Amino acid sequence: MRRKLPGDAPPSAAGSAGAGHAPSASAPSEADLAQLSAAIAAGEDLGPFVRRAFACGRPEPLLASLRAAARDREAEIEELCRAHFHDFIRAVDDLRSLLADADALKGSLSASHSQLLSSAAPLLASLESFLAARSLAGNLSSALASSRRCVRLLALAARANAHLQAGNHGLYLALRAVDAIDRDLASGPEPLPLPTLRQMLLNVVPAVRAHAEREISREFSDWMVSIRAASRHLGQVAIGRSAAARQRQEELRSKHRPLEECITLDDDGVGDLDDFAAATATADAADGAAAASFDLTPLYRAMHIHQTLALGERFKKYYLENRKLQLTSDFDVIAATPFLESHQVFFSQIAGFFIVEDRVFRTGGGLTSRPDVDALWDAAVGKMVSVMEDNFSRMQTANHLLLITDYAALLSATMRRYGYPVGMLLDVLAKHRDKYHDLLLADCRRQVAEALAADKFDQMLMRKEYEYSMNVLAFGIQSSDITPAFPYVAPFSCTVPDICRIVRSFIEDSVSFMAHGGGGDTYAAVKKYLGRILSEVVDASIQKLVDSGSGLSVSQAMQVAANMSVMERACEFFTRHAAQLCGVPLRAVERGRRDFPLRRSRDAAEALLLRLLCAKADEFMRQSDGVNWMADDPPPGGNEYANEVIIYLETLTSTAQQILPLPVLRRVLVAVLAHISERIVELFLNDSVKRFNANAVTGIDTDLKMFEAFAEGMSSLFVDSDQESAKNEMKTALVEARQLVNLLMSNSPETFLNPVIREKSYNKLDYRKIAIISEKFRDSSESYFSTFGTRGARQNPKKKSLDTLIKRLREAS
């Protein structure tokens, strides 16, 4: 409950008093007074109560309440004092005693103070002097520090100026100096005390940086011009070293060919293989030396300066753009001159460009990236492929195509060594493989035709050993390992070594193309094109010459046939030569040997020789018109035509033995004798011969014996065991004529009708021909078979047998 304050008005009076005021103000309520009392007891701030009382316009109740509260506190104090009276008395006594002690202490302190002031006066004077000196020293230290700072900044500026005067080699050091100046001005503890110096240095720093950027950009531009000029020489050197390395590898490969024929390698062989690896490593080292022969210092200096200027990324972009422009301008090398004349410059320029790029990529510290270099290389490969495709399609000379292909292959080998992919370039070279060989075949076809046209088909005369070596040993066409005496007459004409040289050159050109740019299995492809030149060029050209005749005589035709026999040995040389150039063991070539590729022209040459010989024999056989078919006596030495033919055959054989090989001579003699046999049979069938008698048959028998004696004599030429079949062929070449003569001279011609006897003795005779010939023999020999007696004499048994034969043959027909 609220405590009632003294002087409080009764509630009714307060309410009536408040009711008399204005509506905006009202007297404090009981609650307000209770709050005031609690605030006073708690020692709180009474300001709000006072302001409210004055705001209400009734401060009296508040004042009365405050007075009542004061009286209450006074009463409480009095009660407290009464309760502690003795304590107050003792406290006052103690206070008085303390006051006395304080006065004594005050006096003592005053005396001590006076003494301290008298003693500290000199120290205070010294302290003031020390403080003044310390302030002066601080000012001097600050001045010295500022001076040193200015001196250091000026020294940096002077150093930067000295480095700038030293040229582009001092740009980096000059930039380091101005960077130090810039850091000092930006991060110093206080501004530079000399504003003029500070402003001067602030102007110098960007000026030096701009000057460094201009100078290094000028040096970089000069380097770009010089590296473009140096790239061509660099590419030529690198490609030349690739060519030298390839030559060394070819020499080592040829050195290993004898070893490749062995099943195993001996110690020396292993050493040689080590030499081969060493040669390849030497070539790689040489290419590395070529790559290190150009100076990239200006490029790296420019890159470093731009990185120092915080322009590294911009410089990388600038470098790449300029190199792209240079590469594009390098493509224009071939625009002004024909590709055949400019291809080496074109390829060398590109090779040098990418050798430089490879070195920059490996040592440039991130100046270029692999995707950037690959993109440049792809663009270059696309351009080279396009240029080669366009020019290859218009080329009509194999040598020009080979020249460009070889250099492009060397370029590919060079760039492959630096890690660039060259598959597209090699694909272009392989794509034009057939065209190259077609052009090469066309050239060879012309050369073979010219060689055949210029040859008189006489045996080739060699007066010196070097001629023998150059025309015989060089192509393995010698018939003996013994060197002949000189002058030496070869069994072939000049066409053979000429064609051998043409084919050998074709093989070497083909191997060169295939090995350096054709791709795939080199030997298989070379063997394929070797077959084409032998069949499509050599075989076709000789066959054309033979088929046309070209006015060839018997001796010339014989020489052509002899040449074909020599060419058979030459074809074996061609196969071995191709295998050796391709690095294929000869034992593999021997296992895969095929038939003679010039078989058609060889057969045509032998057929021409046979036609000419048969025609010549027919000329002599036409002298058979002088044969007396109704002679009274047989001619003692045979008929004249037979002697002429025998003389011609003997003369021919003596010459042919020196030219034709025995197999060819055998085939020709057998065919000629068979033709003579047919001609003898045709003599009896000739319409001009109406009848003949036994004396004429005896004369033909004599002729036939002369031919058989000649055949027997020729059989002695084939004394080797493998020629026994040839001797039998010589004996049986005249069998048809012999069987006919034997039948006509037989006493029992009707035995021809006996199948057993006919198969044994007359198996080559045609019964239709026998019927015609028997008719003529019968008509002309009536008196021969009749008796010289009376009409009723017994008939001649031979005539009777012949009549029976004729009758049966008529019935069979």
Side-chain angles (χ1 to χ4, degrees), residues 499-517:
I499 292 178
C500 288
R501 272 185 282 271
I502 294 171
V503 177
R504 183 180 63 182
S505 177
F506 174 86
I507 293 172
E508 293 170 353
D509 291 342
S510 179
V511 170
S512 177
F513 184 91
M514 296 302 302
H516 304 151

Side-chain angles (χ1 to χ4, degrees), residues 740-754:
L740 175 60
V741 172
N742 289 343
L743 178 62
L744 294 178
M745 296 181 67
S746 173
N747 292 325
S748 300
E750 65 175 340
T751 57
F752 178 78
L753 300 174
N754 188 329

Side-chain angles (χ1 to χ4, degrees), residues 800-813:
K800 180 180 178 180
S801 177
L802 186 61
D803 290 340
T804 302
L805 174 62
I806 294 172
K807 180 181 179 181
R808 295 286 297 276
L809 291 176
R810 285 177 179 176
E811 292 175 355
S813 61

Side-chain angles (χ1 to χ4, degrees), residues 251-266:
E251 293 173 355
L252 288 173
R253 187 177 292 113
S254 63
K255 181 180 179 181
H256 281 290
R257 281 169 189 157
L259 296 177
E260 292 172 355
E261 297 302 322
C262 301
I263 298 177
T264 59
L265 289 174
D266 56 8

